[in-house]
Structure formats: C-alpha cells, structure tokens
Amino acid sequence: MKKGDVMNRNHLKIIACISMLIDHIGFVLFPQYEWFRIIGRMAMPIFAFFIGEGCLYTRNRKKYFLRLFILAIICQAVYIAESLITGGDMGLYFNILFTFSCSIILCSVFLRLDKDNTLKNRAVFILTVVAFWGMDWLFEYISDATGLNMHIDYGIEGIILPLFAVMSRDKKKKLILFAAGLAFVAVRLYEVDTLFFIFAMIPAGLLCFYNGEGGKRNMKYFFYLFYPLHLVAIYGVDYLINL
C-alpha cells in the first residue's frame, strides 16, 4: 500500500451512499433544488467501479449476480408500492440494481473473453453488448412512441461503465481506463451540463486514493440493505408530509 492510498472500499462506498441519499432526498422531497441531484452524481460511478471489482474478485459470479438481481426486485417493489400508495405514474422504470445486474453479465462475458480469446467468446461478447444496446434503444423508442416512461436507470451508459474497471488488474491502468470510460459516460449522460459533469467525474479522483482493501469491518450486507431501506425511509417521510 502506498502512502497516498488512504481510502478503503468501505470509505468510498460510504461516500457513495451519502451522495445517493442526498440525491434521492432531493428527487423525492426537494425537487425544486437542483443541488441535491448534482451532488448525487457522485454515487453511481463509485458503485459502478466496485461492481467491476466484484466481478474480478468474487468467487462465484452467478451468486454475485443473483444477490444483486434479487435485491433489484425488492427495490422495485418499493418503487411500485410508493407509486400505488401515492397514485403516481412510474411507468416501467427499472432501478439501478437492474442496470448493474446487466453490468455483471457483461463483465463476466468480457472476463471469459479475456481468459480465452476465441472466436466464439468474441462473438458472445459482441452479441451481449448489442443486446443491451438494443434493449436500451427499444425502451427509448417505446417511451417516445407511447409516452410510457420505460427505461433502465442510466441506460446503456450505466451498463457498460463497470466494464472499464475490469479491463486491467494493474491499478494505474485500471484507473486510467475507468476515468476515460467515466468521461465518455458523463458526456453522454450530461452533455453540456458542466456541474453535473464535474460532480460525476469527482469519483475518478477519489479512486486514486483507493488502497485496494475492504476495510476493518465487513459492511457488505449494510451496503446491500442501505439501498432499499433508505428508499423506504424517504418515501415514508414523503407520504407522512402529504397526508
């Protein structure tokens, strides 16, 4: 560990959780204040990086995928319940955990290709990318054609971002690749919105201080539970305010 590597995985994920909490408080309770959403742009890139790290180092990618996918379904139930209670129209929105579930599939296919660069594996990887890109395009087309809000959170950009964290095991190369991928994704998502772009790029700097360690405490299940529980809390407060 180098002297400047002062942040472990827990530190960075806590920063991401705080950013996400601020983002969702702004989205639900204070939509008139854009600063909540701007600060919230820091969360997704950090989580995306560690989704890639998880694919690299997990012992069982199938179990890793299933844990995230099941949690995605639970969180979707929270969104649906909120929509039914408040009478809101959430359309067919798929939360960020569905996005990252797709990312795990994509990263797993890439790692198989990286291990065995055969024509078959190359074809499977290309088809996987095309399939996810086509899914994102189809959702957008249906939304435009019908007015139904149908999309997966962060779209194809969110799906491919963790891929940049698995392209190299060398720390410097990995950070450079991830920063380049993040810049591409941020430009695609936020275009000329400077503040959104800047806050989306801050994690690239924070990750330079990552020491590659998990932290003294195993907080894996805390981070898994934080997403659905903070949504329940925020929507609960919103419901009580609007009684």
Side-chain angles (χ1 to χ4, degrees):
M1 182 178 71
K2 295 181 180 179
K3 187 176 180 181
D5 298 337
V6 294
M7 302 183 79
N8 59 45
R9 183 166 61 245
N10 286 347
H11 294 147
L12 288 160
K13 284 190 174 182
I14 288 170
I15 291 172
C17 285
I18 293 171
S19 172
M20 179 172 62
L21 178 62
I22 292 170
D23 181 32
H24 290 161
I25 288 173
F27 178 74
V28 177
L29 301 176
F30 304 104
Q32 69 273 31
Y33 298 117
E34 193 176 52
W35 268 103
F36 285 87
R37 309 307 312 282
I38 292 171
I39 294 171
R41 297 314 92 202
M42 295 169 56
M44 192 276 280
I46 295 175
F47 285 126
F49 180 84
F50 287 111
I51 288 293
E53 285 268 291
C55 288
L56 273 176
Y57 299 116
T58 187
R59 294 178 182 177
N60 190 320
R61 292 190 194 114
K62 289 182 181 179
K63 288 184 178 179
Y64 185 43
F65 166 80
L66 285 173
R67 280 199 302 269
L68 203 67
F69 187 72
I70 291 170
L71 188 60
I73 294 172
I74 294 170
C75 292
Q76 200 68 27
V78 174
Y79 284 117
I80 293 171
E82 185 275 337
S83 180
L84 291 173
I85 291 170
T86 62
D89 179 21
M90 68 169 293
L92 292 175
Y93 157 78
F94 297 93
N95 68 70
I96 187 64
L97 298 183
F98 283 112
T99 308
F100 285 153
S101 296
C102 294
S103 300
I104 292 173
I105 295 172
L106 183 61
C107 289
S108 298
V109 173
F110 174 84
L111 289 169
R112 178 179 290 184
L113 170 64
D114 189 50
K115 185 178 180 180
D116 186 10
N117 193 353
T118 62
L119 180 61
K120 177 183 176 181
N121 285 340
R122 275 177 271 172
V124 171
F125 176 71
I126 292 170
L127 287 172
T128 304
V129 174
V130 171
F132 286 137
W133 211 301
M135 177 187 70
D136 187 49
W137 176 87
L138 180 62
F139 284 0
E140 186 176 342
Y141 175 80
I142 292 173
S143 295
D144 291 341
T146 65
L148 181 69
N149 180 23
M150 184 176 186
H151 71 281
I152 186 167
D153 206 8
Y154 285 98
I156 186 63
E157 291 82 7
I159 293 173
I160 67 171
L161 183 56
L163 184 63
F164 293 95
V166 304
M167 290 183 172
S168 176
R169 292 178 184 266
D170 177 79
K171 181 183 176 180
K172 287 185 178 179
K173 290 181 180 178
K174 180 188 294 189
L175 290 176
I176 291 170
L177 286 167
F178 187 76
L182 179 55
F184 166 75
V185 167
V187 168
R188 290 269 303 174
L189 290 173
Y190 309 120
E191 297 177 347
V192 295
D193 198 320
T194 306
L195 284 175
F196 274 79
F197 179 84
I198 290 172
F199 273 80
M201 290 301 300
I202 287 175
L206 293 176
L207 287 166
C208 293
F209 299 98
Y210 175 45
N211 60 18
E213 297 177 1
K216 293 182 180 180
R217 296 183 179 182
N218 184 355
M219 298 179 68
K220 178 174 69 174
Y221 292 105
F222 167 80
F223 294 123
Y224 277 126
L225 292 173
F226 182 83
Y227 189 76
L229 291 180
H230 93 280
L231 290 176
V232 169
I234 292 171
Y235 283 123
V237 170
D238 182 55
Y239 176 72
L240 292 173
I241 289 173
N242 292 288
L243 276 177

